[in-house]
Each structure stands twice: as C-alpha cells, then as structure tokens.
Amino acid sequence: MSDPKIEASKPAKPSKRFRILLGVSLALNLLVVGAVVGAIAKGGSSNRGPSGMRDAALPYVGAFERDDKRAMQQQMRARLPKRKDIRAALDKGYREFVEVVRAEPFDAAKAAKIMEEQFERAGQFQKVGREVSIERISEMSVEKRAAYADRLEYRLDNPRKHGKRKER
C-alpha cells in the first residue's frame, strides 16, 4: 500500500474537465488580445479607412443577387493572388513579427512596417472588391440597378432583418 503522507505531498493532477476549461479560457484570452491589437493597428493610419471597413461593405455586397455575388467572387479570384500565396505571405509576416517582438531591443518601426504590409494586402482585397462591385453595377440595366437600390435601401432601413431576408 502507498504511504498516505507521500500521497498527500503530491500535487493532484487536474481533471480533464479543468484542463479543457483552461484551454478554452486561454483561447478566449488570445482572441481578446488579438482583437485589441487589431483595433490599435487599424486606428494608426488615416489611409487605411475607417474602422469597421467590413461592416461598411456588408450592405453593398448583401444587396447583390446571388448570381451576381458568385460572378463577382470569380472576378476577384482572377484578379487577386492565390489564397495559398496570401496565406503564406500572412504567415511569413506573423513569424517576422514574433521575431521582432522577441528581439532586444524592440524595433517598433520594423514591427509597424510588418503590420502595415499586412494591412496593405487586406486593402488590396478591398480595393478589388470595390472595383468589381462598381463594374457590376455599371453593367446593370436601369431596372436591375433600381432593384439593387431597393434591396440596399431595405438593408439600410432594416439592419437587423437583412440576414433573415431571402435574396430576390
């Protein structure tokens, strides 16, 4: 039999449930830190556009008919770098950023440059999206443009309902 004094001195192994909760807590903390860093980074330069750029684009995109959205997505894919190339560039930037953060002394200018390059890539995606959207609207007949304007106006007037409304 084991000695109760020895057993009492060993720290108890955390339960599986506790370890899962700890992992979830860590993940949530990292999400919050990421959101804060993202918010700070977005607010640093006036040429990046207002915060919530995605929110600004949603009504415009959402008002397009499903077929238009699919065609626009194909046009964007043709104009933008391949997804794997974008992901590789992002990953490279993140790794470089980690190295800069760990370096002593910390080089704030280099860190800012890495972030700026990543946000410029995102800005390119947004720019192409705006171009494709305007091209698509320019190609519409007067009737289709009026229907698009009606859908957009509906989304603006009913912001909570736009996700539940069926596409025309």
Side-chain angles (χ1 to χ4, degrees), residues 17-86:
R17 185 176 187 179
F18 177 78
R19 288 181 293 182
I20 290 171
L21 287 174
L22 185 63
V24 169
S25 173
L26 176 62
L28 289 174
N29 286 333
L30 289 173
L31 284 173
V32 170
V33 169
V36 170
V37 169
I40 290 169
K42 282 170 89 174
S45 175
S46 61
N47 65 354
R48 262 188 235 112
S51 64
M53 186 64 77
R54 182 181 175 123
D55 291 338
L58 284 176
Y60 296 114
V61 174
F64 282 106
E65 292 180 341
R66 185 171 289 153
D67 290 342
D68 286 325
K69 289 179 197 176
R70 286 186 185 130
M72 291 164 58
Q73 187 177 37
Q74 289 174 350
Q75 287 177 304
M76 288 184 69
R77 281 188 183 137
R79 294 182 189 183
L80 291 167
K82 301 291 181 217
R83 188 173 290 210
K84 70 176 185 170
D85 296 336
I86 294 170

Side-chain angles (χ1 to χ4, degrees), residues 37-151:
V37 169
I40 290 169
K42 282 170 89 174
S45 175
S46 61
N47 65 354
R48 262 188 235 112
S51 64
M53 186 64 77
R54 182 181 175 123
D55 291 338
L58 284 176
Y60 296 114
V61 174
F64 282 106
E65 292 180 341
R66 185 171 289 153
D67 290 342
D68 286 325
K69 289 179 197 176
R70 286 186 185 130
M72 291 164 58
Q73 187 177 37
Q74 289 174 350
Q75 287 177 304
M76 288 184 69
R77 281 188 183 137
R79 294 182 189 183
L80 291 167
K82 301 291 181 217
R83 188 173 290 210
K84 70 176 185 170
D85 296 336
I86 294 170
R87 186 76 237 168
L90 282 173
D91 287 344
K92 181 179 181 242
Y94 293 142
R95 299 292 177 191
E96 289 174 0
F97 190 82
V98 167
E99 289 177 21
V100 170
V101 170
R102 286 194 172 134
E104 194 56 46
F106 174 66
D107 186 346
K110 190 171 183 179
K113 183 176 185 263
I114 292 168
M115 276 189 176
E116 188 64 35
E117 288 170 355
Q118 289 184 318
F119 283 106
E120 285 176 14
R121 282 197 245 355
Q124 180 63 24
F125 178 83
Q126 293 167 349
K127 180 182 177 215
V128 170
R130 288 189 300 269
E131 291 170 355
V132 167
S133 295
I134 295 299
E135 289 169 11
R136 182 58 100 188
I137 294 168
S138 297
E139 295 168 357
M140 291 179 179
S141 67
V142 173
E143 295 81 16
K144 284 196 171 212
R145 269 198 333 271
Y148 172 80
D150 290 344
R151 290 189 302 272

